[in-house]
Structure formats: structure tokens, C-alpha cells
Amino acid sequence: MEQEFAVPLCLSNAGNTKVGRVWTFSLPSFVTCPGASAWCRQHCYAARFERLRGNCRRAYIRNLALSLEPDRFVADVLKSLPEDAPLVRVHVGGDFYSAEYCASWQGICQARPGTRFWAYTRSWVTAALRPALEQLRSLSNVEVLASLDPQMPPPPESWRTAFIEIDPRASGMPCRHQQGEVDSCLECGYCFRENAGNVVFKVH
Ligand code: SF4
């Protein structure tokens, strides 16, 4: 089960059958997704979830509003996230939408060296965001994977990649949850293990 941060900020540990009981933080989909392709918008599971769960959509909008005030955002996340939280999934929905927002997460991750953070992003395709993402993913307690779909160019070689199985370029380990091998990401651990390799997802 997953837990979402909730303050005025929505950081949660409420549970999600896939991720496992880890902390998660989300933003509204589409408006925070500068790298989203048409394919991604068409298949976005987060947007479907937000349509079904209006309370979550509203919480994610509040998270976005707060994130526009970087100092307050960083302070509120650090206040909401327990010191001993082992693992945070950044963005079950939403994405890194600006360099300033990436820098906020850099500050959060640096302040919590004992916590592991992981994220999938299409924002790598936006040149203006790449330097901030490179800085974020250079931290030893952070794994950022480049999400890729058939409409996107390949990411830089050094990036771990999260493929969609219908992409002819797909190579890597099939997601163990989707294969029925594990109950959750927490049990699997592959994506947030340092330099573990690429992952391949089925279409949601
Ligand atoms: S490969 Fe493992 S860690 Fe990655 S998404 Fe699938 S279950 Fe989660």
C-alpha cells in the first residue's frame, strides 16, 4: 500500500496496490507534464484516476499551488514526511514541470539522505529542464528514469529508461508487478535500486 503526503500539502501513505506502502506525492496530470506526447495523453492512467477521484484531483491541484512557492513547499514536504520514511515515489501523477520545481525536489532529497526517492519522467525531453533533472538524478538517494513511448526520441544514453512494451526499441526487465511476480514495488525494489537497468511496462 502507498501513503500520500497530506498537510495542506497532499503527501500520502494511504496505499496503492501497485506501489506498496511507501510515501507518494502527485500533481495534476497534463498541466504539469511538459514532455507528454500525444500517445502519453491518450493512455494516461493518472488522468483517468483523477477523473474518477475528484478529491485526489483537488489535492493534487493544491499541491501544485503550493509548489509554486518553493521555500514553503520544501519546508512543508519536510514537515509532512516522517524523518524515518524509507521510500518516496515522486509523481504517481504529474511530472517535473519547471527547473525551479526540480530544484525544490533536489533540496528535499538532499535534506533526507536516509530516504530513497524515485520518479519516472517525460520531462527529460524538454531541453530547458534537462540540467535541473540531471542535478536531481545525480544525488545518491535518487533514481529518475526516463519514460519513453513510441512517439518520443531516445533519451540520453546514461539515463535508465522506462519503456512501453509495444515500442520496438524496448529492452530491459519486464515490470515484475505486471508479470504477477510481486505484490508491489516495495517488494520488488528494481526501479529504485541504484543503476539497476531499464524496465518495460505493459500499456495500462
Ligand atoms: S519493476 Fe518492480 S519497482 Fe519497477 S514498477 Fe515494476 S514492480 Fe515496481
Side-chain angles (χ1 to χ4, degrees), residues 18-19 89 118 120 145 160 173-178 182-193 199-201:
K18 182 186 174 192
V19 180
R89 164 79 188 273
W118 102 100
Y120 310 89
L145 286 81
R160 293 178 68 191
M173 192 180 79
C175 170
R176 294 182 64 203
H177 182 264
Q178 291 184 330
V182 294
D183 286 337
S184 68
C185 294
L186 188 60
E187 183 184 343
C188 169
Y190 178 78
C191 289
F192 47 85
R193 196 175 309 134
V199 63
V200 181
F201 291 112

Side-chain angles (χ1 to χ4, degrees), residues 17-87:
T17 51
K18 182 186 174 192
V19 180
R21 196 157 190 83
V22 302
W23 290 85
T24 68
F25 177 83
S26 290
L27 295 174
S29 53
F30 295 173
V31 292
T32 64
C33 302
S37 65
W39 188 96
C40 177
R41 287 171 184 273
Q42 188 184 347
H43 293 86
C44 181
Y45 69 92
R48 287 200 298 273
F49 177 77
E50 288 167 39
R51 274 197 294 275
L52 291 172
R53 300 277 295 274
N55 57 333
C56 286
R57 171 86 184 168
R58 286 188 288 279
Y60 297 170
I61 291 170
R62 286 199 300 276
N63 284 351
L64 174 59
L66 187 60
S67 75
L68 296 170
E69 299 177 62
D71 291 345
R72 192 176 152 213
F73 174 68
V74 171
D76 276 9
V77 170
L78 292 176
K79 193 168 68 181
S80 309
L81 184 64
E83 293 272 354
D84 60 354
L87 192 59

Side-chain angles (χ1 to χ4, degrees), residues 70-115:
D71 291 345
R72 192 176 152 213
F73 174 68
V74 171
D76 276 9
V77 170
L78 292 176
K79 193 168 68 181
S80 309
L81 184 64
E83 293 272 354
D84 60 354
L87 192 59
V88 176
R89 164 79 188 273
V90 183
H91 302 149
V92 175
D95 209 338
F96 296 102
Y97 63 85
S98 74
E100 292 75 16
Y101 177 68
C102 295
S104 291
W105 276 107
Q106 187 180 341
I108 293 163
C109 298
Q110 283 174 317
R112 291 297 172 83
T115 299

